[in-house]
Amino acid sequence: MDLFLQQTVNAFALGGTYALLALGLAMVFSTMGLINFAHGELMTIAGYILMACGLAGVPFAFSILLAIAAAVLAAIVMERIAFRPVRNASGATMLVTSFAVSMILQVLFQNFISARSQAVFVPEILSESVRFGGLVIGVNKIAAIVTTIVMLILLDRFMKHHRIGIAMRAAAEDFSVARLMGIRANTVIAGAFALSGFLAGVAAVLWVSQRASVDPLMGFTPVLKAFIAAILGGLGSLRGAVAGGFLLGFIEIYLAAYLPAGMQEFRDPIALCLVVLVLIFRPNGLIPSPALKAEKV
């Protein structure tokens, strides 16, 4: 029973990170119809800012603020320079653009910083553990769970009560009608990118806090998993992104804990098979987007 509870805590920590990243992808997709594969590079930028602050002796708490701010700024610049000029282009054009931005940033990281993994200073307290009865839980995992819960609550309030959040929800439902109602497209899309950068920055802090390193491809794997989570939850659905992120985290952790040792090498294919199995019964995801449901026949 203790092992099950231990792995459940781990699943919440990993699933929370996936959920934050999937939310960032879903926000941009719901407003612009774009799968932004350069989302992972926003994580990497935040990771390198943490590394640079550590080398400069900046306090870790202040480093977190700088890393998240850098991810937000990078997301806004990315939207303004790369995606705004192709906003009315086909989905294939925007997809290729996002791949191009991702590849360009990865090459820049490799050539101007380092192709190798770099150590990041992380406070010792994050590597310590706390004992609850028979459970031994890492402080970094507790921080990840608490941060995820706080972020989801704040984001929910922002989307329901803030003017830009309400405009983003309206744009996600029907962008054409939202524009007729006076909502400015540039403001909504720039807001979606800024929010996605904020979520990527927070996810990067959680990711780096558990690994204490950063490399040019740091964002690739977690964003690929977040993309799967977004599809699992329902592409374009914000609540679905959260549900998909947590479900994928639970699948991965439980497979790692309970799959026989001889089958561990097949863990990822089995996880993907389970995802496909869910999609067979819920082809639009766990919580489909209303806009997607409206388009289905």
Side-chain angles (χ1 to χ4, degrees):
M1 188 61 183
D2 283 347
L3 176 63
F4 175 76
L5 293 176
Q6 183 83 54
Q7 299 306 330
T8 300
V9 171
N10 294 337
F12 269 113
L14 180 63
T17 305
Y18 287 162
L20 293 180
L21 287 170
L23 262 177
L25 290 174
M27 282 188 173
V28 172
F29 181 82
S30 63
T31 55
M32 197 176 172
L34 165 71
I35 299 294
N36 184 16
F37 282 101
H39 194 66
E41 277 55 55
L42 299 176
M43 279 186 72
T44 310
I45 289 172
Y48 278 123
I49 293 296
L50 285 175
M51 180 197 74
C53 289
L55 294 174
V58 177
F60 190 69
F62 192 56
S63 302
I64 291 175
L65 298 179
L66 290 178
I68 294 173
V72 172
L73 180 62
I76 293 173
V77 171
M78 191 183 290
E79 187 274 330
R80 186 68 183 85
I81 294 177
F83 295 118
R84 189 173 297 188
V86 298
R87 185 179 297 171
N88 296 318
S90 66
T93 300
M94 290 195 290
L95 192 63
V96 170
T97 303
S98 74
F99 272 119
V101 172
S102 174
M103 296 301 295
I104 289 171
L105 288 175
Q106 287 178 16
V107 171
L108 291 177
F109 296 148
Q110 291 172 357
N111 289 341
F112 290 100
I113 302 178
S114 175
R116 296 182 177 180
S117 178
Q118 301 292 310
V120 177
F121 169 76
V122 177
E124 289 185 7
I125 188 172
L126 290 176
S127 60
E128 295 178 354
S129 301
V130 178
R131 183 175 292 276
F132 294 98
L135 298 180
V136 179
I137 304 173
V139 173
N140 52 14
K141 288 187 170 51
I142 295 174
I145 294 171
V146 172
T147 302
T148 301
I149 292 172
V150 171
M151 287 295 302
L152 293 179
I153 292 173
L154 292 178
L155 191 63
D156 183 67
R157 294 184 65 83
F158 176 83
M159 297 299 288
K160 286 182 178 176
H161 301 292
H162 194 278
R163 182 171 58 86
I164 295 180
I166 294 172
M168 288 170 60
R169 288 170 53 209
E173 291 285 337
D174 193 323
F175 211 142
S176 299
V177 173
R179 294 186 72 175
L180 291 175
M181 299 295 288
I183 292 175
R184 300 179 62 180
N186 287 343
T187 302
V188 171
I189 293 176
F193 267 87
L195 209 48
S196 72
F198 181 77
L199 293 168
V202 174
V205 172
L206 299 179
W207 197 261
V208 171
S209 297
Q210 298 184 41
R211 288 158 181 78
S213 66
V214 58
D215 63 77
L217 302 179
M218 183 189 87
F220 177 76
T221 300
V223 167
L224 181 62
K225 298 290 182 65
F227 178 57
I228 295 172
I231 293 176
L232 182 61
L235 198 56
S237 167
L238 302 186
R239 295 182 183 278
V242 175
F246 277 108
L247 179 57
L248 185 61
F250 273 79
I251 289 174
E252 287 193 357
I253 292 294
Y254 285 149
L255 285 178
Y258 295 109
L259 210 58
M263 294 185 67
Q264 283 294 331
E265 59 183 318
F266 303 108
R267 190 175 61 203
D268 287 342
I270 292 174
L272 287 176
C273 287
L274 291 175
V275 169
V276 171
L277 189 63
V278 173
L279 291 176
I280 288 174
F281 292 99
R282 304 280 297 180
N284 290 336
L286 298 173
I287 308 175
S289 164
L292 180 64
K293 283 194 294 186
E295 291 176 1
K296 291 291 181 184
V297 177

